[in-house]
Amino acid sequence: MSDLYAVMGNPINHSKSPQIHSAFAEQTQQDLIYSATLVPLDGFEHAVQEFFRNAHGKGLNVTVPFKEEAYQLAQIHSPRALRAGAVNTLKRHEDGRIYGDNTDGLGLVADLTRNLQISLSGKRILLLGAGGAVKGVLEPLLAEKPAQIVIANRSIEKAIDLAKAFSDIGNVTGCGFAQVQGYFDVIINGTSASLQGDLPPLPSECVASHTQVYDMMYGAEPTLFMQWAKQQGAKAAYDGLGMLVEQAAEAFLLWRGVRPQTAPVMAGIRAKLLKPAAV
Ligand code: ATR
């Protein structure tokens, strides 16, 4: 029987992970089945235990809102998962223990530096938001040795606390949106504001003509934040589809020992996104 993998979340019906991992498996000729599981909000631990009770259950991806619970549940953690306090990838070790990793930050950095050719070293980066999404990407971003990361968030205290928690590994400070000063080379939106049709209220001076903007969200249309950035004169604005595919590739590597090619998979998903839904 094939090895089994799944993504668990709530909601889960729009997850692209089954499509991405099935494409990876086909490309690398790995014999596996990957499915999406809707887990009740109070049923994550039970669902994980049931999944791994099956001897063929090898690994899980974990998405909103279970990444912190997955962290609690994992028996061994990668250093980056420990730092993030959140886990998006679980793997059953040979001895039966559950290993937790977080590949979100690697996915973001791979998309920025490899796919989009944006060098982060020595750059001034503005990171918007202070929730799980931002926590998960801070360590890999700081590992690229930017000159500075400013975390700006609606709740100012959260931005300041998060910056403090990472200040031993780089130059990182926290503030509110109104306190953002000067312009940035790279601006990354890790808030969920666009889900409510909102924009973080940033001073327009933070965007210069060479500024490149990245939104961790994605959709068929450029996000509200990307549109705003272009209106302020940003050089380019990208969505988070590449991050999604790259974090999946890192999970696949952890599980199967082979890193798939991401470009064709990204192109396939982009093409499907742009296709009008059937009526
Ligand atoms: P995630 O795991 O996706 O990061 P989260 O932990 O709930 O989700 O965090 C959501 C982030 O988006 C937070 O930084 C939140 O700001 P607060 O900490 O002030 O709540 C931010 N956010 C959500 N809605 C927003 C909005 N309408 N405007 C600006 N920021 C918003």
Side-chain angles (χ1 to χ4, degrees):
M1 193 189 161
S2 310
D3 288 342
L4 302 178
Y5 296 86
V7 57
M8 292 186 170
N10 188 338
I12 203 68
N13 54 342
H14 289 116
S15 173
K16 303 263 182 282
S17 292
Q19 192 185 331
I20 294 170
H21 283 279
S22 302
F24 286 166
E26 196 180 319
Q27 185 200 109
T28 58
Q29 300 181 323
Q30 301 280 310
D31 180 18
L32 61 89
I33 295 171
Y34 189 108
S35 52
T37 307
L38 175 68
V39 172
L41 292 176
D42 61 353
F44 181 67
E45 188 175 351
H46 177 74
V48 171
Q49 280 166 354
E50 281 300 302
F51 179 85
F52 284 119
R53 210 186 295 284
N54 183 333
H56 297 283
K58 302 287 182 187
L60 288 171
N61 280 138
V62 181
T63 187
V64 176
F66 299 122
K67 290 185 189 182
E68 265 126 33
E69 239 183 291
Y71 174 85
Q72 303 294 339
L73 212 141
Q75 290 151 306
I76 328 168
H77 300 85
S78 69
R80 54 185 182 241
L82 276 179
R83 262 283 176 188
V87 154
N88 77 334
T89 305
L90 293 169
K91 177 188 176 178
R92 193 224 310 258
H93 264 201
E94 277 108 62
D95 65 6
R97 285 186 299 170
I98 306 297
Y99 176 78
D101 197 359
N102 191 321
T103 66
D104 286 333
L106 287 189
L108 172 66
V109 170
D111 197 33
L112 286 170
T113 61
R114 266 190 256 162
N115 302 337
L116 303 172
Q117 299 282 305
I118 301 174
S119 158
L120 302 175
S121 162
K123 299 291 171 61
R124 202 163 177 248
I125 301 176
L126 177 60
L127 189 51
L128 307 175
V134 164
K135 226 160 118 185
V137 301
L138 264 168
E139 189 192 30
L141 279 178
L142 285 166
E144 294 295 302
K145 303 269 174 268
Q148 186 188 19
I149 294 183
V150 175
I151 303 172
N153 193 45
R154 183 174 59 183
S155 319
I156 302 177
E157 280 308 311
K158 272 171 75 180
I160 294 172
D161 289 349
L162 193 54
K164 271 192 199 141
F166 285 82
S167 59
D168 60 320
I169 54 169
N171 178 6
V172 50
T173 56
C175 64
F177 296 126
Q179 287 90 49
V180 171
Q181 283 182 342
Y183 62 82
F184 291 82
D185 303 304
V186 178
I187 303 178
I188 301 167
N189 183 20
T191 72
S192 51
S194 56
L195 294 180
Q196 300 123 55
D198 266 353
L199 272 172
L202 286 174
S204 59
E205 305 86 74
C206 66
V207 180
S209 59
H210 74 284
T211 303
Q212 304 203 69
V213 169
Y214 192 95
D215 197 334
M216 292 196 208
M217 300 264 164
Y218 67 89
E221 304 287 328
T223 67
L224 208 56
F225 186 70
M226 290 163 66
Q227 293 176 37
W228 173 84
K230 288 299 281 181
Q231 282 158 14
Q232 310 309 307
K235 181 180 169 196
Y238 306 98
D239 74 11
L241 184 64
M243 174 180 175
L244 176 79
V245 176
E246 294 294 345
Q247 66 74 29
E250 290 295 334
F252 196 89
L253 171 64
L254 176 75
W255 292 330
R256 310 298 299 184
V258 49
R259 199 180 195 282
Q261 302 251 341
T262 49
V265 178
M266 240 176 260
I269 295 184
R270 179 73 71 194
K272 268 200 185 161
L273 262 184
L274 296 176
K275 227 181 258 172
V279 283

